[in-house]
Amino acid sequence: MKCTLVGKEMVSYKSKDTGESRKMLILHVTRTTSRCQGIATDQVRVFSGQECFGRASDMPLDNAISIDYNQRGLVEDVELL
C-alpha cells in the first residue's frame, strides 16, 4: 500500500498471553482510494518483535512510504519511496 506518513505514536501494552510489557508503533497515514471522496486515513500497527519495527520508527514524517502485508494481514515491510 502506497501512502503518506503523517504521524507516529509509540504505545506500550501488556501481552494477553504472557503478561509481558511490549511496545507497538502506530503509523498514521493518508492515501487516496477510489472508494473515498477526498483523502482516506489509516492507522497501521507495527509490533516491536517485527523486523521492520526499527526502520518504521526512524522514518521521517511527511514522506511517501510503501507498506507490505503478509497473508495474515500483519505488516511485513515498511520502506520510504
Side-chain angles (χ1 to χ4, degrees), residues 12-75:
S12 295
Y13 69 98
K14 284 198 176 199
S15 169
K16 289 182 182 178
D17 297 334
T18 64
E20 293 178 18
S21 199
R22 296 199 173 171
K23 289 188 178 184
M24 170 178 53
L25 177 66
I26 300 174
L27 302 176
H28 297 271
V29 299
T30 60
R31 62 190 175 95
T32 57
T33 176
S34 61
R35 294 175 284 162
C36 177
Q37 291 181 352
I39 298 173
T41 62
D42 286 320
Q43 292 182 353
V44 177
R45 289 165 176 76
V46 181
F47 297 93
S48 60
Q50 294 175 273
E51 253 182 62
C52 61
F53 182 81
R55 187 171 47 252
S57 57
D58 291 340
M59 288 191 165
L61 299 180
D62 298 321
N63 280 287
I65 64 172
S66 175
I67 301 171
D68 295 325
Y69 295 91
N70 64 17
Q71 55 225 31
R72 295 187 308 160
L74 297 174
V75 173

